[in-house]
Amino acid sequence: VEASIPEPQREAWKKNQTSGFRGKTEFEKEVVRHVETTLARSVFNCDENAAYAATSLAFRDRLILDWNRTQQRQTYRDSKRVYYLSLEFLMGRALDNAMLNVGQKDDAKAGLAELGFRIEDIIGQEHDAALGNGGLGRLAACFLDSLASLDFPAWGYGLRYRYGIFKQEIIDGYQVEVPDYWLDFNPWEFPRHDVTVDIQFFGNVSKSVDSNGKAIAKWEGGEIVQAVAFDVPIPGYATPTTNNLRLWSSKASGGEFDFQKFNNGEYESSVADQQRAETISAVLYPNDNLERGKELRLKQQYFWVAASLYDIVRRFKKSHRPWIEFSDQVAIQLNDTHPTLAIVELQRILLDIEGLEWSLAWDIVTSTFGYTNHTVLPEALEKWPVGLMQHLLPRHLQIIYDINLFFLQTVEKAFPNDRDILRRVSIIEESQPKMVRMAFLAIVGSHKVNGVAELHSDLIKTTIFKDFVEIYGPDKFTNVTNGITPRRWLHQANPRLSELIASKVGGHDFLKDLTLLNRLERYAEDKDFRKEWYEIKYANKVRLAKHIKATTGVTVNPAALFDVQVKRIHEYKRQQLNIFGVIHRYLTLKGMTPEERKKMLPRVSIFGGKAAPGYWMAKQIIHLINSVGSIVNNDPEIGDLLKVIFIADYNVSKAEIITPASDLSEHISTAGTEASGTSNMKFVLNGGLIIGTCDGANIEITREIGESNIFLFGNLAEDVEDLRHTHNYGDHAIDSDLEKVFLEIEKGTFGTPNDFSAMIAAVRQHGDYYLVSDDFHSYIETHHLVDEAYRNQEEWIKKSIISVARMGFFSSDRCINEYAEQIWNVEPLVVHD
Ligand code: GPQ
C-alpha cells in the first residue's frame, strides 16, 4: 500500500518543496553545507576529495528533483516505455556530465574558485564507473544519454558489480590486473532497500493438470537470492528529463543471515550462504568479444533478467490493462545475447504465473523484444550447455525446448524437403554436449534483429543468420548504425573546440542536432579559422603530452604527429599490425644517414587498452609494444623522430584526454571483423583523421566525409575467406618487409625473442588468420601517404574541419531515433519545467 499525504496537509508540503540551487552563491552555500553536515568535516579541513564529494552532492540534490518529476510524469502519462537491458554500462565520470547537462558548470567553476579549488582538480577526484569492457558497454552509456536528452521514457537495467573492469598496471612491460573497488563513495546511486525481488535458482519442476484439463508446471525448491535495486539518475542535456538506470545487487534472501541456521549454531555456513549470494553481482567478467561459458556468468544473466522483468511486469500491472496491451506499453531491447533469457522468463511469467495460453503469451513476448547483435566472431557467440541450463533453470529449459519445437515445426512446414535446415537453425545444437544457441533463441523471440553498421548488418544476413533470413524474410533484419553522444565526446572532452564550433554554427544547438555541424564546412577556407582550429588541437596535444610525461616519464614533442590506437587489445583489432609497422619505421630510420633522417617527420605512436586477463596473445602484444618503446624511446639516434607510448589503464576518462589530442587514429581491424567501432567516430568528431580498413562504420564514415579525407588500406571483407584459404593450402609467402621486422625481433633487439615467438608464429606458421602479412605492404604505403599529407599542414587542417562538419550522422541521437521509429514504436514525452 502506497502512503500518500492527505489533502489538508499537502499545502505544507508544497510550501516547503525545494528547488535546488540557482547560481554561484547558492551553489557555494550548498557545498559548504554538505561539507559541514553530510560529510561532518570542519570547513577548514576540506581537501579536494571532500570538495568533490560536496560538489557532487549539491548537483545530485539538483538532479533528484528533475528525476522525481520525470518519473512522476512518466507514471502519470503511462505511455510506452523503453527498457534497455545491458550487462555493461561503461558510464565513466558523472559530475562533469551532470554539470554540463543541467547547464551549471560555470556556476560551479566560479563557486569552487571562490572556495579555493580548481574545477578540473575536483572533477579529477571522481572514480570512473567502469561497469563495462569496451565498445558494447560504452554504446549503452551513450544510448542512455541520448534517450534522456531526446525525452524518451526509458530505463536502463544492469548489474551493480562491486568490482568493475580491473585497473591495468604496467610492470616491467607486462599487464598486471588490480581489482577496481569503486563503491567506497558513490553519490550517484540511490539504494532502494524497499525494491527487492526474490530470484530462484535450481530446484525441480512438477507437472500436473488442473480441473479444466490444463497442464500446470510448478517450479519448486532450489535456492533464493535477493535482488536489491540501486538507482542512478541519468540527466538529459538541456532538458529536465532525467531517466533512471536501475542496477541490481545480490544479497542473501531473508536479510543478512539465515537466522534459523544462525540459531542452530551454524554460524559459519550462514555467513557462507550470504557470501555465495553476494558473489553473483561481485564482478564484471573482463572479456570483450569472447564468451567462456562459466556457471556464475549464467547466474548473473538470469538474476539480472528475472529481477528486471519482475520490475517491468509489476509496473505494467499497476495500469490494470489487459495483457495484449503489454507490447503497446513496453519495448525491451536486448544488448547482445546476454539478456536473452528475458524472452524465456517473460514467457514463463505469462504461462505459469499469469495463466495465459502459449500462443497468446508468445505473441506478446515476440512483439516486446528487439535483439541487437554486436559481432560475427564465432568465439563471441553465446552457447550454454543444456546440462547446465537444466541444473540451474529447469523450467526455463523446458520452455526453450517448447519454443524450439514450435519454431522447428513452422520451419519444417515452410521447407518440407530440407532436413538439414532443421539441424542448422535448431536452438539446440546437437553437439556433445548439447548446447543452447542464445543468438538463435534471441532471433526467434524478437520481432526485430539489428546489426550495428551497414557492412555488419549485411554480413549477419549472409553468414551467421542466413537461414533465418530465408525463414522470416528480410524485414525482420535491419541496420542501425551506431553513434556516440556529442555531449560527452565533444562538449565535455573538448570544451574549446565545442565553443569554437558554437561560435560559428549559431550557438550550442548543434549538440542536440549534430547535422548543424555542416555549417562549419565553409570555414575550411578561412585561414584565421584554421589557425584557431590548429591551436586547439595543439593545446590538446600539450595536455596529453603532460599526462604521458607524468605517467610514463617519457617526453614527447607536441609538434610531432600523434598516431593513436586505443581500444581493447584483440588480435582482430590488430595492434600487432600497428607495432610491426612501428618497428618497420624504426628500422627505416636506423638505416638512414643523419642528413636523410633530418627530413623525416616526427611521430608519436600511442597505444592503450586492456587485454582480457586470460588472453595470452593479447598480453604478448602489450609486452612487445612496451619493449619496443623502451628501446626506441632511449635511442639517441632517433630522438623525437619516433616515440612509442603505452598509456596504462585506458578507460573513459583517459579517452576524454586522448581523443581530442590525436592527429591520426588507427581503426585497422581485419575487414569483416569489427562490427562497427565507435572510437573511430569520436576521433573524427574531434578533428583527427583516420587510417583504417574497409570495416564496420569506417565505410559509412568514408561515405559521409569523403574518400579524400580518410586513409583507407588493406584487403576487403569479401576477399578474406579466399585469402585465409590460400594461407592454409598454399605455401604462403610472408611480406618481405614484415619478414625483416620478424628477423629483428628474433635477433633480440627488443628483448628475449622467445617472449614474442607466438605473435610471429601466428603469422608464419598458423595461417595468419588476421591477414597481417597480406595487409602489411598496403599499411606501410598508406602511412607514407599520411606523412606526406601531414607535411602540408594547411591542407591537413582543411581535411580535419571538413570531416568534423560532415559527422552529423554519427550522433547517438540519430541512432536512438532510428530505434524508436523502426523497432520500439515509442515517442518522446516532454517533462515541462
Ligand atoms: N563489442 Cl560481441 C564489444 O565491445 N564487446 C563484445 O563482447 C561484442 C561486441 C563491440 C564491437 O566489437 C564493436 O565493433 C561495436 O562498435 C560495439 O560492440 C558496439 O556495437
Side-chain angles (χ1 to χ4, degrees), residues 265-299:
E266 297 173 55
Y267 171 74
E268 287 157 70
S269 90
S270 159
V271 174
D273 285 353
Q274 185 204 353
Q275 289 191 340
R276 202 151 44 91
E278 288 178 5
T279 302
I280 293 180
S281 63
V283 61
L284 164 77
Y285 275 88
N287 301 314
D288 181 90
N289 270 288
L290 178 74
E291 280 301 328
R292 304 235 283 176
K294 290 279 203 314
E295 173 172 328
L296 180 60
R297 169 83 166 185
L298 186 59
K299 270 189 138 177

mmCIF file of all heavy atoms in Angstrom, residues 265-299:
data_model
loop_
_atom_site.group_PDB
_atom_site.id
_atom_site.type_symbol
_atom_site.label_atom_id
_atom_site.label_comp_id
_atom_site.label_asym_id
_atom_site.label_seq_id
_atom_site.Cartn_x
_atom_site.Cartn_y
_atom_site.Cartn_z
ATOM 1 N N GLY A 265 23.247 -22.767 15.557
ATOM 2 C CA GLY A 265 24.682 -22.816 15.773
ATOM 3 C C GLY A 265 25.496 -22.972 14.502
ATOM 4 O O GLY A 265 26.693 -23.188 14.536
ATOM 5 N N GLU A 266 24.823 -22.853 13.321
ATOM 6 C CA GLU A 266 25.568 -22.996 12.062
ATOM 7 C C GLU A 266 26.028 -21.629 11.565
ATOM 8 O O GLU A 266 25.722 -21.208 10.449
ATOM 9 C CB GLU A 266 24.696 -23.674 11.009
ATOM 10 C CG GLU A 266 24.294 -25.089 11.387
ATOM 11 C CD GLU A 266 23.284 -25.660 10.405
ATOM 12 O OE1 GLU A 266 23.600 -25.659 9.206
ATOM 13 O OE2 GLU A 266 22.196 -26.069 10.836
ATOM 14 N N TYR A 267 26.738 -20.949 12.431
ATOM 15 C CA TYR A 267 27.178 -19.593 12.123
ATOM 16 C C TYR A 267 27.982 -19.530 10.821
ATOM 17 O O TYR A 267 27.725 -18.716 9.953
ATOM 18 C CB TYR A 267 28.002 -19.058 13.291
ATOM 19 C CG TYR A 267 28.673 -17.756 12.993
ATOM 20 C CD1 TYR A 267 27.925 -16.577 12.947
ATOM 21 C CD2 TYR A 267 30.040 -17.692 12.742
ATOM 22 C CE1 TYR A 267 28.528 -15.367 12.667
ATOM 23 C CE2 TYR A 267 30.642 -16.484 12.458
ATOM 24 C CZ TYR A 267 29.893 -15.329 12.423
ATOM 25 O OH TYR A 267 30.496 -14.141 12.128
ATOM 26 N N GLU A 268 28.940 -20.445 10.679
ATOM 27 C CA GLU A 268 29.819 -20.385 9.513
ATOM 28 C C GLU A 268 29.062 -20.571 8.208
ATOM 29 O O GLU A 268 29.268 -19.849 7.242
ATOM 30 C CB GLU A 268 30.907 -21.460 9.607
ATOM 31 C CG GLU A 268 31.965 -21.160 10.634
ATOM 32 C CD GLU A 268 32.649 -22.435 11.068
ATOM 33 O OE1 GLU A 268 33.395 -23.018 10.270
ATOM 34 O OE2 GLU A 268 32.381 -22.848 12.215
ATOM 35 N N SER A 269 28.180 -21.568 8.191
ATOM 36 C CA SER A 269 27.507 -21.827 6.917
ATOM 37 C C SER A 269 26.498 -20.722 6.615
ATOM 38 O O SER A 269 26.193 -20.442 5.463
ATOM 39 C CB SER A 269 26.864 -23.210 6.906
ATOM 40 O OG SER A 269 25.549 -23.154 7.377
ATOM 41 N N SER A 270 26.006 -20.076 7.669
ATOM 42 C CA SER A 270 25.110 -18.949 7.448
ATOM 43 C C SER A 270 25.855 -17.792 6.783
ATOM 44 O O SER A 270 25.356 -17.159 5.851
ATOM 45 C CB SER A 270 24.508 -18.523 8.788
ATOM 46 O OG SER A 270 24.053 -17.214 8.732
ATOM 47 N N VAL A 271 27.053 -17.519 7.236
ATOM 48 C CA VAL A 271 27.869 -16.469 6.619
ATOM 49 C C VAL A 271 28.267 -16.871 5.201
ATOM 50 O O VAL A 271 28.254 -16.056 4.278
ATOM 51 C CB VAL A 271 29.123 -16.170 7.474
ATOM 52 C CG1 VAL A 271 30.038 -15.192 6.762
ATOM 53 C CG2 VAL A 271 28.718 -15.625 8.836
ATOM 54 N N ALA A 272 28.571 -18.165 5.020
ATOM 55 C CA ALA A 272 28.981 -18.648 3.692
ATOM 56 C C ALA A 272 27.845 -18.479 2.683
ATOM 57 O O ALA A 272 28.073 -18.079 1.541
ATOM 58 C CB ALA A 272 29.404 -20.113 3.771
ATOM 59 N N ASP A 273 26.599 -18.773 3.124
ATOM 60 C CA ASP A 273 25.443 -18.588 2.247
ATOM 61 C C ASP A 273 25.353 -17.138 1.786
ATOM 62 O O ASP A 273 25.095 -16.841 0.624
ATOM 63 C CB ASP A 273 24.137 -18.914 2.978
ATOM 64 C CG ASP A 273 23.933 -20.408 3.145
ATOM 65 O OD1 ASP A 273 24.756 -21.166 2.573
ATOM 66 O OD2 ASP A 273 22.978 -20.803 3.840
ATOM 67 N N GLN A 274 25.557 -16.266 2.751
ATOM 68 C CA GLN A 274 25.464 -14.852 2.450
ATOM 69 C C GLN A 274 26.501 -14.459 1.399
ATOM 70 O O GLN A 274 26.210 -13.762 0.430
ATOM 71 C CB GLN A 274 25.674 -14.066 3.738
ATOM 72 C CG GLN A 274 25.483 -12.586 3.566
ATOM 73 C CD GLN A 274 26.234 -11.823 4.641
ATOM 74 O OE1 GLN A 274 26.779 -12.407 5.575
ATOM 75 N NE2 GLN A 274 26.243 -10.522 4.513
ATOM 76 N N GLN A 275 27.730 -14.959 1.583
ATOM 77 C CA GLN A 275 28.788 -14.601 0.645
ATOM 78 C C GLN A 275 28.519 -15.172 -0.737
ATOM 79 O O GLN A 275 28.780 -14.522 -1.748
ATOM 80 C CB GLN A 275 30.131 -15.075 1.173
ATOM 81 C CG GLN A 275 30.536 -14.225 2.375
ATOM 82 C CD GLN A 275 31.950 -14.449 2.802
ATOM 83 O OE1 GLN A 275 32.543 -15.482 2.466
ATOM 84 N NE2 GLN A 275 32.502 -13.522 3.553
ATOM 85 N N ARG A 276 27.973 -16.390 -0.758
ATOM 86 C CA ARG A 276 27.684 -17.019 -2.041
ATOM 87 C C ARG A 276 26.643 -16.182 -2.800
ATOM 88 O O ARG A 276 26.755 -15.966 -4.001
ATOM 89 C CB ARG A 276 27.177 -18.443 -1.827
ATOM 90 C CG ARG A 276 27.337 -19.348 -3.020
ATOM 91 C CD ARG A 276 27.494 -20.800 -2.578
ATOM 92 N NE ARG A 276 26.537 -21.128 -1.522
ATOM 93 C CZ ARG A 276 25.322 -21.616 -1.764
ATOM 94 N NH1 ARG A 276 24.932 -21.874 -2.980
ATOM 95 N NH2 ARG A 276 24.497 -21.884 -0.763
ATOM 96 N N ALA A 277 25.663 -15.694 -2.096
ATOM 97 C CA ALA A 277 24.637 -14.867 -2.740
ATOM 98 C C ALA A 277 25.252 -13.580 -3.281
ATOM 99 O O ALA A 277 24.963 -13.153 -4.398
ATOM 100 C CB ALA A 277 23.518 -14.556 -1.755
ATOM 101 N N GLU A 278 26.127 -12.996 -2.469
ATOM 102 C CA GLU A 278 26.719 -11.722 -2.891
ATOM 103 C C GLU A 278 27.679 -11.868 -4.056
ATOM 104 O O GLU A 278 27.967 -10.901 -4.771
ATOM 105 C CB GLU A 278 27.406 -11.044 -1.700
ATOM 106 C CG GLU A 278 26.375 -10.502 -0.718
ATOM 107 C CD GLU A 278 26.989 -9.858 0.512
ATOM 108 O OE1 GLU A 278 28.227 -9.746 0.578
ATOM 109 O OE2 GLU A 278 26.212 -9.478 1.404
ATOM 110 N N THR A 279 28.162 -13.104 -4.244
ATOM 111 C CA THR A 279 29.093 -13.346 -5.338
ATOM 112 C C THR A 279 28.469 -13.053 -6.699
ATOM 113 O O THR A 279 29.161 -12.680 -7.645
ATOM 114 C CB THR A 279 29.549 -14.826 -5.316
ATOM 115 O OG1 THR A 279 30.141 -15.063 -4.054
ATOM 116 C CG2 THR A 279 30.538 -15.132 -6.405
ATOM 117 N N ILE A 280 27.149 -13.212 -6.797
ATOM 118 C CA ILE A 280 26.511 -13.073 -8.113
ATOM 119 C C ILE A 280 26.793 -11.702 -8.741
ATOM 120 O O ILE A 280 27.139 -11.613 -9.905
ATOM 121 C CB ILE A 280 24.991 -13.350 -8.025
ATOM 122 C CG1 ILE A 280 24.780 -14.828 -7.697
ATOM 123 C CG2 ILE A 280 24.291 -12.987 -9.334
ATOM 124 C CD1 ILE A 280 23.323 -15.239 -7.575
ATOM 125 N N SER A 281 26.673 -10.648 -7.941
ATOM 126 C CA SER A 281 26.931 -9.332 -8.536
ATOM 127 C C SER A 281 28.311 -8.794 -8.155
ATOM 128 O O SER A 281 28.564 -7.597 -8.220
ATOM 129 C CB SER A 281 25.834 -8.336 -8.143
ATOM 130 O OG SER A 281 25.824 -8.145 -6.746
ATOM 131 N N ALA A 282 29.210 -9.678 -7.776
ATOM 132 C CA ALA A 282 30.514 -9.219 -7.283
ATOM 133 C C ALA A 282 31.417 -8.671 -8.375
ATOM 134 O O ALA A 282 32.090 -7.666 -8.185
ATOM 135 C CB ALA A 282 31.223 -10.345 -6.546
ATOM 136 N N VAL A 283 31.441 -9.315 -9.538
ATOM 137 C CA VAL A 283 32.480 -8.927 -10.506
ATOM 138 C C VAL A 283 32.004 -8.988 -11.959
ATOM 139 O O VAL A 283 31.266 -9.896 -12.358
ATOM 140 C CB VAL A 283 33.762 -9.783 -10.287
ATOM 141 C CG1 VAL A 283 33.501 -11.256 -10.477
ATOM 142 C CG2 VAL A 283 34.900 -9.325 -11.198
ATOM 143 N N LEU A 284 32.426 -8.000 -12.701
ATOM 144 C CA LEU A 284 32.200 -7.955 -14.151
ATOM 145 C C LEU A 284 33.151 -8.932 -14.828
ATOM 146 O O LEU A 284 34.359 -8.918 -14.557
ATOM 147 C CB LEU A 284 32.484 -6.533 -14.665
ATOM 148 C CG LEU A 284 32.669 -6.379 -16.180
ATOM 149 C CD1 LEU A 284 31.318 -6.425 -16.895
ATOM 150 C CD2 LEU A 284 33.391 -5.079 -16.517
ATOM 151 N N TYR A 285 32.636 -9.783 -15.696
ATOM 152 C CA TYR A 285 33.528 -10.644 -16.475
ATOM 153 C C TYR A 285 34.342 -9.783 -17.441
ATOM 154 O O TYR A 285 33.778 -9.003 -18.205
ATOM 155 C CB TYR A 285 32.730 -11.713 -17.226
ATOM 156 C CG TYR A 285 32.456 -12.912 -16.340
ATOM 157 C CD1 TYR A 285 31.339 -12.964 -15.526
ATOM 158 C CD2 TYR A 285 33.373 -13.960 -16.285
ATOM 159 C CE1 TYR A 285 31.115 -14.042 -14.680
ATOM 160 C CE2 TYR A 285 33.158 -15.047 -15.448
ATOM 161 C CZ TYR A 285 32.034 -15.081 -14.648
ATOM 162 O OH TYR A 285 31.835 -16.149 -13.812
ATOM 163 N N PRO A 286 35.671 -9.925 -17.407
ATOM 164 C CA PRO A 286 36.514 -8.972 -18.131
ATOM 165 C C PRO A 286 36.796 -9.333 -19.591
ATOM 166 O O PRO A 286 37.789 -8.888 -20.145
ATOM 167 C CB PRO A 286 37.804 -8.986 -17.301
ATOM 168 C CG PRO A 286 37.875 -10.373 -16.763
ATOM 169 C CD PRO A 286 36.460 -10.828 -16.549
ATOM 170 N N ASN A 287 35.932 -10.121 -20.206
ATOM 171 C CA ASN A 287 36.172 -10.495 -21.600
ATOM 172 C C ASN A 287 35.435 -9.566 -22.553
ATOM 173 O O ASN A 287 34.310 -9.183 -22.302
ATOM 174 C CB ASN A 287 35.704 -11.919 -21.871
ATOM 175 C CG ASN A 287 36.409 -12.901 -20.981
ATOM 176 O OD1 ASN A 287 37.624 -12.831 -20.822
ATOM 177 N ND2 ASN A 287 35.647 -13.792 -20.372
ATOM 178 N N ASP A 288 36.085 -9.276 -23.664
ATOM 179 C CA ASP A 288 35.485 -8.481 -24.725
ATOM 180 C C ASP A 288 35.443 -9.371 -25.962
ATOM 181 O O ASP A 288 36.450 -9.968 -26.322
ATOM 182 C CB ASP A 288 36.369 -7.253 -24.980
ATOM 183 C CG ASP A 288 35.795 -6.364 -26.057
ATOM 184 O OD1 ASP A 288 35.020 -5.467 -25.721
ATOM 185 O OD2 ASP A 288 36.120 -6.583 -27.251
ATOM 186 N N ASN A 289 34.286 -9.483 -26.588
ATOM 187 C CA ASN A 289 34.169 -10.330 -27.763
ATOM 188 C C ASN A 289 34.614 -11.778 -27.502
ATOM 189 O O ASN A 289 35.258 -12.388 -28.336
ATOM 190 C CB ASN A 289 34.973 -9.743 -28.927
ATOM 191 C CG ASN A 289 34.144 -8.792 -29.767
ATOM 192 O OD1 ASN A 289 33.261 -9.227 -30.504
ATOM 193 N ND2 ASN A 289 34.393 -7.496 -29.655
ATOM 194 N N LEU A 290 34.274 -12.290 -26.340
ATOM 195 C CA LEU A 290 34.586 -13.692 -26.018
ATOM 196 C C LEU A 290 33.653 -14.172 -24.917
ATOM 197 O O LEU A 290 33.448 -13.486 -23.920
ATOM 198 C CB LEU A 290 36.041 -13.820 -25.531
ATOM 199 C CG LEU A 290 36.459 -15.241 -25.119
ATOM 200 C CD1 LEU A 290 36.652 -16.129 -26.347
ATOM 201 C CD2 LEU A 290 37.732 -15.217 -24.287
ATOM 202 N N GLU A 291 33.078 -15.324 -25.089
ATOM 203 C CA GLU A 291 32.237 -15.920 -24.058
ATOM 204 C C GLU A 291 32.848 -17.219 -23.591
ATOM 205 O O GLU A 291 33.202 -18.060 -24.404
ATOM 206 C CB GLU A 291 30.823 -16.179 -24.605
ATOM 207 C CG GLU A 291 29.944 -14.949 -24.631
ATOM 208 C CD GLU A 291 29.744 -14.326 -23.249
ATOM 209 O OE1 GLU A 291 29.738 -15.062 -22.247
ATOM 210 O OE2 GLU A 291 29.620 -13.088 -23.196
ATOM 211 N N ARG A 292 32.937 -17.367 -22.258
ATOM 212 C CA ARG A 292 33.643 -18.537 -21.753
ATOM 213 C C ARG A 292 32.751 -19.557 -21.058
ATOM 214 O O ARG A 292 33.255 -20.543 -20.520
ATOM 215 C CB ARG A 292 34.792 -18.084 -20.854
ATOM 216 C CG ARG A 292 35.748 -17.127 -21.600
ATOM 217 C CD ARG A 292 37.139 -17.604 -21.560
ATOM 218 N NE ARG A 292 37.728 -17.338 -20.254
ATOM 219 C CZ ARG A 292 38.939 -17.731 -19.911
ATOM 220 N NH1 ARG A 292 39.665 -18.441 -20.754
ATOM 221 N NH2 ARG A 292 39.402 -17.441 -18.728
ATOM 222 N N GLY A 293 31.467 -19.317 -21.025
ATOM 223 C CA GLY A 293 30.540 -20.342 -20.552
ATOM 224 C C GLY A 293 30.673 -20.739 -19.098
ATOM 225 O O GLY A 293 30.526 -21.907 -18.743
ATOM 226 N N LYS A 294 30.937 -19.779 -18.221
ATOM 227 C CA LYS A 294 31.067 -20.055 -16.793
ATOM 228 C C LYS A 294 29.689 -20.040 -16.106
ATOM 229 O O LYS A 294 28.869 -19.176 -16.373
ATOM 230 C CB LYS A 294 31.954 -18.993 -16.139
ATOM 231 C CG LYS A 294 33.420 -19.071 -16.522
ATOM 232 C CD LYS A 294 34.128 -20.143 -15.695
ATOM 233 C CE LYS A 294 35.623 -19.953 -15.574
ATOM 234 N NZ LYS A 294 36.369 -19.642 -16.755
ATOM 235 N N GLU A 295 29.483 -20.968 -15.179
ATOM 236 C CA GLU A 295 28.194 -21.064 -14.492
ATOM 237 C C GLU A 295 27.791 -19.752 -13.814
ATOM 238 O O GLU A 295 26.636 -19.311 -13.884
ATOM 239 C CB GLU A 295 28.222 -22.199 -13.452
ATOM 240 C CG GLU A 295 26.942 -22.199 -12.614
ATOM 241 C CD GLU A 295 26.798 -23.413 -11.687
ATOM 242 O OE1 GLU A 295 27.277 -24.502 -12.039
ATOM 243 O OE2 GLU A 295 26.177 -23.250 -10.617
ATOM 244 N N LEU A 296 28.760 -19.096 -13.167
ATOM 245 C CA LEU A 296 28.437 -17.857 -12.455
ATOM 246 C C LEU A 296 27.937 -16.770 -13.423
ATOM 247 O O LEU A 296 27.080 -15.961 -13.075
ATOM 248 C CB LEU A 296 29.663 -17.354 -11.677
ATOM 249 C CG LEU A 296 29.458 -16.065 -10.889
ATOM 250 C CD1 LEU A 296 28.352 -16.210 -9.828
ATOM 251 C CD2 LEU A 296 30.762 -15.619 -10.221
ATOM 252 N N ARG A 297 28.464 -16.786 -14.616
ATOM 253 C CA ARG A 297 28.022 -15.820 -15.622
ATOM 254 C C ARG A 297 26.555 -16.063 -15.980
ATOM 255 O O ARG A 297 25.762 -15.129 -16.105
ATOM 256 C CB ARG A 297 28.927 -15.943 -16.854
ATOM 257 C CG ARG A 297 28.464 -15.209 -18.083
ATOM 258 C CD ARG A 297 28.850 -13.743 -18.085
ATOM 259 N NE ARG A 297 28.674 -13.197 -19.424
ATOM 260 C CZ ARG A 297 29.005 -11.978 -19.781
ATOM 261 N NH1 ARG A 297 29.536 -11.148 -18.900
ATOM 262 N NH2 ARG A 297 28.814 -11.553 -21.006
ATOM 263 N N LEU A 298 26.171 -17.323 -16.131
ATOM 264 C CA LEU A 298 24.777 -17.631 -16.442
ATOM 265 C C LEU A 298 23.879 -17.233 -15.264
ATOM 266 O O LEU A 298 22.777 -16.714 -15.454
ATOM 267 C CB LEU A 298 24.624 -19.119 -16.764
ATOM 268 C CG LEU A 298 23.236 -19.562 -17.252
ATOM 269 C CD1 LEU A 298 22.827 -18.824 -18.531
ATOM 270 C CD2 LEU A 298 23.195 -21.070 -17.496
ATOM 271 N N LYS A 299 24.383 -17.443 -14.066
ATOM 272 C CA LYS A 299 23.642 -17.000 -12.870
ATOM 273 C C LYS A 299 23.448 -15.493 -12.889
ATOM 274 O O LYS A 299 22.365 -14.990 -12.581
ATOM 275 C CB LYS A 299 24.419 -17.392 -11.600
ATOM 276 C CG LYS A 299 24.079 -18.759 -11.054
ATOM 277 C CD LYS A 299 24.730 -18.934 -9.688
ATOM 278 C CE LYS A 299 23.801 -19.596 -8.685
ATOM 279 N NZ LYS A 299 24.439 -19.834 -7.377
#
